[in-house]
Amino acid sequence: MSYRLGLLDQSPIPEGASAFDALQQTVHLAQKAEEWGYSRFWVSEHHYTEQLAGASPEVLISYLLARTNSIRIGSGGVMLQHYSPFKVAENFHVLSSLAPGRVDLGIGKAPGGLPLSTKALQFGTMNGGKDFKERLVFLQKLIEDAVDEHHPLAGIRATPIPPEKPEIFLLGASPQSAQLAADLGVAFVFGLFLNGDIKVLEEAVRVYRKNYPDGCFLVSVAIVAAPSQQEAEQLAGEQKIFKVHLQSGRTVTVQSLEQAHAFGKQADEAYEVEEQASNIIAGTPLYVKDVLTNFHKKYQVDEFILHTPLQKTEERIRTFQLLSPIHSNEDYTNEERDEEYVS
């Protein structure tokens, strides 16, 4: 296989479960991802939601680093519009000092929650969330310990300086984000599970490769794998996404109709909600891997970050096991699988 595979986990809280249960499953999945040969394991940032437990990726990353041995652990991603680049750099320098060479700093442009949580995150600060590019540039300088002598904060260093700096990834779903990543010389992750428009992906690849030929281009995809094509498609068919189209022209994607209406109301402007089938690659392991291989060849994808929207714990873990870079689920008897899922 000429491309790498990583995992993104959002720490979903299944019905009847608790945040404790969800986070323990995240730890378990990270350990399995390491065992199964995945290149990296990322956790997301979501606020003010009872469906997902991962509100603080930096805290969760530190715990996951302590519970694993070799796999890279990172954020998918830190929503920089809310935070001081200096504090983000300090956090990830501490993490990289604890586990040199194992920390990924994925940066996202999205709010990571509803308008009310955005207001809460930025409450009491002078932050309007409108200067993302400037924040990212400053963050990169801090990570590289190279703040310009003409910068208003010339001389500042985000200590401790780790033996090996964290690797920066920019997350996005547009050619504009790809251009920014290329301009800064950082890896780019295109969120295909958020924007399934292949023409947009093609343009993002073209822009990135033209301006940064040696860069690393990743694609984050939603996947569901099962022993049979029918079961995989049935599981995937149960998933929906909802797009909130605001009068101001902005569009956001959420996971439930309830969240969509809450977002529209909290945004305090006219809005419309569009329901869509989730953009999921669903099928047998062979089918999913064939799709990924075709994407790799056609769009020069260096690595795929796999995400599954499934809430059911066993089906989620089985999906990642079936697609393991090291072995196929066909090597397991039913009894061995059942034992592994409940361990």
Side-chain angles (χ1 to χ4, degrees), residues 109 170-190 200-209 211-212 217:
K109 297 176 66 177
L170 177 61
L171 284 57
S174 70
Q176 292 76 23
S177 293
Q179 179 70 64
L180 177 57
D183 290 343
L184 297 180
V186 300
F188 180 65
V189 187
F190 185 93
V200 177
L201 170 62
E202 291 175 345
E203 180 62 14
V205 171
R206 187 193 67 79
V207 167
Y208 188 77
R209 293 299 184 197
N211 293 279
Y212 189 25
F217 190 94

Side-chain angles (χ1 to χ4, degrees), residues 2-25:
S2 54
Y3 54 83
R4 297 181 299 276
L5 293 177
L7 298 188
L8 169 66
D9 186 45
Q10 296 182 337
S11 303
I13 307 174
E15 185 175 352
S18 67
F20 173 83
D21 299 325
L23 292 172
Q24 290 305 307
Q25 282 299 324

